[in-house]
Amino acid sequence: MTTLQERIAGERRRLKEVRLRLSAAVAQTSGGADSWVPFYTAVADYMEAAMARLHAQDVKMGDMIRDKVPAMTESVTTALSELDERLAGNEQRLHRMLTARDALRSSGTAALAEFESAAREFTDFIVRNMGHHGGTTELAAELFSPADWEYMAGITDADMAREVSLYDDVLSATPQELELP
């Protein structure tokens, strides 16, 4: 049986690997090759599931901080505002990429350029804005008990199995000509 921290670390490692593959792919571009369509759809399916879970976790974290913080100081308000802005920006870019994924499914290679544009915008935003940020991370570390962390993570066996399956789909669909870092 793995610990919660080990499960989260595995999930974050796989997410980073998929994001790195996507970043490499949009930097290289498909050149219109139809073999990239299943890869891009697998990556978008993975990101849709992973980002939904991370978004839910971050929303819970913000709500829990709001409930537990003794006083809404300016620094707390700023940290929570920044969290909300990052979440909204990520959702906007993810939605664009998922719309482009749906176009890939219906139009195939004709939609590759739009998908690559949307995916580039998404990965650039992730690199610049997401991850652990001092304000909310420090507040959570200060305010949360181990039970709070477990609740916030909300990881079920079904969630983990789905995430691993989607990750495996990305690996098996990766085009041979993709140059990985």
Side-chain angles (χ1 to χ4, degrees):
M1 179 82 177
T2 59
T3 67
L4 175 63
Q5 276 188 314
E6 291 168 335
R7 293 172 83 179
I8 290 172
E11 182 179 39
R12 298 293 166 112
R13 178 189 51 77
R14 288 184 295 274
L15 175 60
K16 182 178 181 181
E17 183 179 344
V18 171
R19 201 264 315 146
L20 288 171
R21 284 175 185 256
L22 181 58
S23 293
V26 298
Q28 180 179 332
T29 73
S30 64
D34 61 351
S35 61
W36 289 53
V37 172
F39 169 68
Y40 282 147
T41 57
V43 167
D45 290 347
Y46 177 90
M47 287 297 185
E48 180 177 36
M51 289 291 120
R53 285 193 19 73
L54 291 175
H55 184 84
Q57 288 172 0
D58 286 346
V59 167
K60 275 188 209 175
M61 178 176 64
D63 291 345
M64 291 167 65
I65 289 170
R66 286 176 180 89
D67 289 345
K68 292 176 176 286
V69 72
M72 286 299 279
T73 64
E74 186 177 331
S75 65
V76 172
T77 301
T78 298
L80 291 170
S81 243
E82 289 171 355
L83 173 66
D84 293 341
E85 287 173 26
R86 284 190 311 273
L87 291 175
N90 186 59
E91 285 292 294
Q92 175 188 12
R93 286 157 182 86
L94 177 63
H95 177 74
R96 179 176 173 225
M97 186 175 73
L98 296 178
T99 299
R101 175 210 51 201
D102 296 344
L104 276 176
R105 286 195 169 119
S106 62
S107 302
T109 57
L112 279 168
E114 173 55 26
F115 181 85
E116 288 173 339
S117 173
R120 186 176 301 105
E121 182 183 4
F122 174 73
T123 59
D124 288 350
F125 184 84
I126 294 290
V127 170
R128 282 192 323 270
N129 296 288
M130 302 306 282
H132 295 287
H133 289 269
T136 50
T137 301
E138 290 167 13
L139 284 166
E142 181 182 313
L143 298 169
F144 294 177
S145 69
D148 290 332
W149 286 104
E150 182 103 17
Y151 167 75
M152 188 183 77
I155 297 176
T156 67
D157 290 340
D159 290 334
M160 291 305 297
R162 180 166 186 251
E163 185 263 341
V164 169
S165 175
L166 291 169
Y167 170 79
D168 290 342
D169 291 347
V170 169
L171 297 184
S172 66
T174 301
Q176 289 181 347
E177 63 272 18
L178 176 58
E179 297 171 17
L180 296 171

